Amino acid sequence: MSTLPGKKRAPFIVIEGLDRSGKTTQTSKLHSRLTENGIDATLVKFPDRTTAIGKMIDSYLRSTSELDDHAIHLLFSANRWELATTIEKLLLAGTAVVCDRYAFSGIAFSASKVDSTGAPLLPFEWCRDPDVGLPAPDLVLFFDITPEKARERGGYGEERYEKEEMQLRVRNFFRRIGEEMDGEAQSAGGTRWISIDAGREREEVEHDVWGLVEPLVTRGVDGPVGKLWTKDP
Ligand code: Z5A
Ligand code: MG
């Protein structure tokens, strides 16, 4: 049951960012803290490896299957669309949604893929198109971290994409997406994008996240859920 005042809906909060930046650690802490404070909240994560589509993504990421670059990109997007109606319903019913990665990872990682000559395999706009119209987050907290700091955290793992060269390109694409979101908050569906220095101690990051999220969940949000990269809701 909603704990929000009047006809307000709950906010959609996304934590995005680079590998090893602490997204999973902090989305989980945030979800627990909201619940402990009596605020209705649901935690979602993309890729959601539990669905049929998610299982295909999982096997691709662990390199146990091969897929065309276009096909895997569309599967990542479809994996979000599978949950789109659920997310919207939760928000309208007063349950805040905390999300670990979203469409921004989808664009940044796919647009960072290059061929053997270093030429991009998938155009940026093509990568964005399938996610146009998804529920728009009210707040994106972008976790920035230097490759050096990420390395201190045990370096990158064993999955596809977890290579430093790729991560540097991903970082640049995230910057571009963040600048565009800031510049076009309205056309982006009303999303606010805030960069967080994720290279600090867990407690410092948690403190900043809570400071940004707490007022939003307490106050609630007016109006319908926005649509990503779409002017009209
Ligand atoms: N991908 C894509 O291509 N297209 C898409 O549309 C989407 C994703 C949605 C798997 O994602 C891959 O899918 C990913 C992007 C691509 N590829 N890569 N590379 P994933 O979300 O499943 O990835 P992950 O396995 O969860 O890892 P991660 O996201 O890189 O990590 P994280 O969640 O940001 O960090 P963490 O697990 O919370 O923390 C990492 C370690 O650091 C851990 O040991 C923590 O205890 C430690 N940690 C956390 N915070 C701190 C601080 N503050 N100080 C010190 N140590 C810390
Ligand atoms: Mg994670």
Side-chain angles (χ1 to χ4, degrees):
M1 229 222 335
S2 171
T3 46
L4 288 167
K7 292 200 165 131
K8 303 216 174 199
R9 65 168 173 86
F12 181 18
I13 298 142
V14 169
I15 296 191
E16 265 291 1
L18 299 158
D19 281 36
R20 300 291 177 268
S21 58
K23 298 176 299 298
T24 299
T25 304
Q26 294 293 340
T27 44
S28 158
K29 275 180 188 285
L30 177 60
H31 177 250
S32 307
R33 195 158 171 184
L34 288 168
T35 310
E36 282 156 24
N37 280 270
I39 296 161
D40 292 330
T42 293
L43 180 60
V44 294
K45 167 166 177 37
F46 294 110
D48 174 354
R49 303 189 194 216
T50 65
T51 68
I53 292 172
K55 289 191 173 92
M56 292 170 76
I57 294 173
D58 181 57
S59 119
Y60 173 82
L61 285 171
R62 289 186 294 105
S63 299
T64 54
S65 70
E66 290 302 321
L67 281 169
D68 174 82
D69 295 304
H70 301 79
I72 182 63
H73 180 76
L74 295 173
L75 288 177
F76 272 115
S77 176
N79 189 229
R80 284 182 280 279
W81 279 107
E82 289 187 286
L83 267 189
T85 308
T86 306
I87 291 175
E88 187 163 357
K89 280 188 183 156
L90 284 167
L91 299 173
L92 294 176
T95 301
V97 176
V98 175
C99 183
D100 183 352
R101 288 197 198 269
Y102 199 49
F104 316 101
S105 278
I107 304 171
F109 279 85
S110 290
S112 293
K113 289 180 160 184
V114 291
D115 67 16
S116 55
T117 70
L121 286 167
L122 305 170
F124 181 87
E125 288 72 21
W126 187 89
C127 293
R128 198 177 78 157
D129 277 355
D131 286 323
V132 170
L134 275 175
D138 298 294
L139 179 66
V140 177
L141 300 176
F142 173 66
F143 278 23
D144 202 4
I145 191 167
T146 59
E148 295 72 34
K149 274 277 171 194
R151 222 180 288 128
E152 278 172 27
R153 294 181 185 178
Y156 301 116
E158 301 294 316
E159 289 196 333
R160 212 186 276 261
Y161 305 159
E162 297 190 324
K163 316 262 173 341
E164 201 154 320
E165 261 180 41
M166 173 81 174
Q167 297 292 329
L168 286 171
R169 288 196 296 274
V170 169
R171 193 170 193 221
N172 287 333
F173 274 113
F174 269 131
R175 287 232 168 101
R176 171 171 169 186
I177 296 166
E179 279 161 20
E180 289 182 7
M181 297 294 289
D182 267 353
E184 318 164 28
Q186 285 317 307
S187 57
T191 302
R192 193 171 158 220
W193 180 284
I194 295 178
S195 202
I196 301 252
D197 173 5
R200 296 169 298 156
E201 294 296 318
R202 286 177 183 77
E203 295 70 26
E204 290 177 89
V205 178
E206 186 185 352
H207 175 268
D208 284 6
V209 168
W210 186 249
L212 290 159
V213 168
E214 205 253 334
L216 195 58
V217 287
T218 312
R219 211 173 47 228
V221 182
D222 288 312
V225 179
K227 292 191 189 304
L228 201 51
W229 295 302
T230 307
K231 266 197 183 104
D232 304 316

